[in-house]
Amino acid sequence: MSTAPTLELRRFSRLKNLRERAERQGAALQFWARTASLAAISCFFSLISRWDASLLFVLAGLVLFQLVGLIQFLFVRRRTAPWWIGYVVGTLDIILLTVLLITPNPFAQEVAPAAMQLREGSFKFLLIFVCLGALTLSTRLALYLGALAALTWAIGVGWVIVHPGTVIPATNLYSLPLTERLNLYLNPNFVDTFAQATNVLVVLIIGAIMALVVSRSRHLSEDYVKAERARANLARHFSPNVVDQLATDDEPFGPVRRQEIAVLFADIVGFTHYSEDHPAEAVFELLRQFHRRMEQVVFDHHGTVDNYIGDCIMATFGVPQASHDDATRAIQCAGAMIATLGDWNVQRVSRGYPPLDVRIGVQYGAVVLGAVGSERNLSVAVVGDTVNVASRLQALCRELQASICFGSRLIEAAKAESPTTQLNARDHGPVSIRGRDEPVHVWVGHRAENQGAVAVSA
């Protein structure tokens, strides 16, 4: 039994790698967001506080947080960074911040009761570190930091409550008269357990929301990757102006149908002989360069690359949607291919390589058009007599010593599209072709000037 990974496993592996890379990039973004946040907090306290040992202690704590973040940043820059580094740093951040927020400043001139620390509103700084965790694009880390912040704050509140002298309401605080409530609030040792429970609930909710945001972002990134991969695959065959339509429509090709299009075949003369006498690397390099140049010509004329068959390229004009000038563009494309090959041959000869010769056959007519394959490997198929005739016309070029052979139906369609079209072709008359009972009326577009004079020829 084959041990090769299945398509689904390969897809999962690719997505896993993309997620890990996104998490590393998110950790780097987290560092810079942390730096900006700590810098803003430092400036704020420096402006509103008196410069003394107490303020220096606060600033030293902010520097410590920055150093912890820097250590994480240096780790995540390495591709081999351990997965747990974010959890360790997040744990240090939450625990250290909770301790600093709840315990009195040792350098403060006046030490307030521990209960007063809970009423200073410093709890909100915990939310900054919970939100920073979401930037890593790790759903689990976002949930973990939210839960850890809630737990550590609850433990901190419990530690304050057990302090001697701490006052907590014996009953529901809001059921007491206003005067009693005010007396409690004025007591520096009073702890509003309801408000602290609300803080714990809020941080849990924010952590869950951050996790949902991260999860949503991950799904959107996966959809984006799939769409870009599909767009890249389409761009190999279709001109750029068609790719957007194909990438967005649910059924861009529609149902199987008959449609009139132009079909073009272009083939390197003598390629079989060339491939036998040259290394495989040279053969494939030649093919890549040939296909790349011819493909670009097809796209420049808003055509579609239907298939590559060895050294032959098949292109269609009018797929997926017919246009008012499909035949004209096919004729222009054939001429542009010859011109492009001529320019390429100049470069080849100047570098000591032999020139190439190409034969092109083009026909216009009805074909059967539709999508074939499976959901995992879907492609468009174009079949019919028009395709067969275009292929035979390409082979007929050798017999007629021509570079391009047009079918008469193509010429008629081009004239119907634009009566003033100038055609660089002459009427050769009917020609019998293999596999067809009736002869095909042929027009010759270009004479084969390199016939018998090039190294890559039959």
Side-chain angles (χ1 to χ4, degrees), residues 344-365:
W344 186 25
N345 278 334
V346 172
Q347 299 177 17
R348 287 178 58 84
V349 171
S350 66
R351 297 172 183 174
Y353 296 105
L356 302 178
D357 198 5
V358 69
R359 299 292 183 265
I360 302 173
V362 196
Q363 176 64 314
Y364 183 87

Side-chain angles (χ1 to χ4, degrees), residues 93-330:
D93 284 338
I94 297 298
I95 293 177
L96 180 60
L97 181 60
T98 303
V99 171
L100 291 176
L101 293 178
I102 291 180
T103 59
N105 189 321
F107 297 96
Q109 296 180 356
E110 298 178 353
V111 179
M116 288 291 293
Q117 297 293 119
L118 299 179
R119 298 163 61 180
E120 295 292 334
S122 53
F123 164 79
K124 61 180 71 70
F125 291 108
L126 270 177
L127 302 181
I128 295 177
F129 286 91
V130 173
C131 294
L132 284 175
L135 294 177
T136 63
L137 292 183
S138 172
T139 306
R140 293 179 180 178
L141 182 58
L143 282 173
Y144 172 77
L145 293 179
L148 179 64
L151 177 62
T152 54
W153 189 257
I155 293 174
V157 171
W159 176 79
V160 173
I161 289 175
V162 299
H163 266 60
T166 300
V167 177
I168 59 174
T171 183
N172 183 1
L173 179 66
Y174 297 97
S175 65
L176 298 175
L178 179 61
T179 303
E180 294 186 27
R181 276 189 286 164
L182 289 176
N183 288 333
L184 286 173
Y185 282 125
L186 293 175
N187 188 333
N189 293 304
F190 169 67
V191 174
D192 187 346
T193 52
F194 178 80
Q196 299 306 321
T198 303
N199 287 339
V200 172
L201 178 62
V202 167
V203 74
L204 285 173
I205 293 175
I206 289 179
I209 292 175
M210 290 294 100
L212 287 175
V213 170
V214 170
S215 178
R216 176 60 176 164
S217 298
R218 290 167 71 101
H219 285 301
L220 287 175
S221 65
E222 290 176 12
D223 292 341
Y224 175 79
V225 169
K226 293 176 184 177
E228 288 303 305
R229 184 169 61 246
R231 189 181 299 272
N233 290 334
L234 290 171
R236 299 175 185 173
H237 302 280
F238 298 95
S239 58
N241 64 315
V242 180
V243 169
D244 288 338
Q245 174 189 347
L246 298 180
T248 55
D249 292 352
D250 292 332
E251 294 185 9
F253 299 114
V256 176
R257 63 190 184 278
R258 288 188 177 276
Q259 181 174 316
E260 290 198 337
I261 66 171
V263 182
L264 179 150
F265 282 87
D267 181 83
I268 299 176
V269 176
F271 182 77
T272 302
H273 180 68
Y274 176 85
S275 61
E276 292 174 353
D277 295 341
H278 291 78
E281 295 80 5
V283 172
F284 271 86
E285 180 60 24
L286 177 67
L287 277 180
R288 291 190 187 101
Q289 294 189 34
F290 175 72
H291 287 159
R292 183 171 63 249
R293 285 171 169 80
M294 296 301 105
E295 173 191 85
Q296 187 59 52
V297 175
V298 173
F299 290 167
D300 288 344
H301 292 81
H302 307 301
T304 297
V305 175
D306 183 87
N307 201 1
Y308 297 107
I309 311 168
D311 61 311
C312 180
I313 180 172
M314 173 184 171
T316 54
F317 299 82
V319 176
Q321 301 297 331
S323 182
H324 67 280
D325 59 347
D326 294 328
T328 302
R329 286 186 287 107

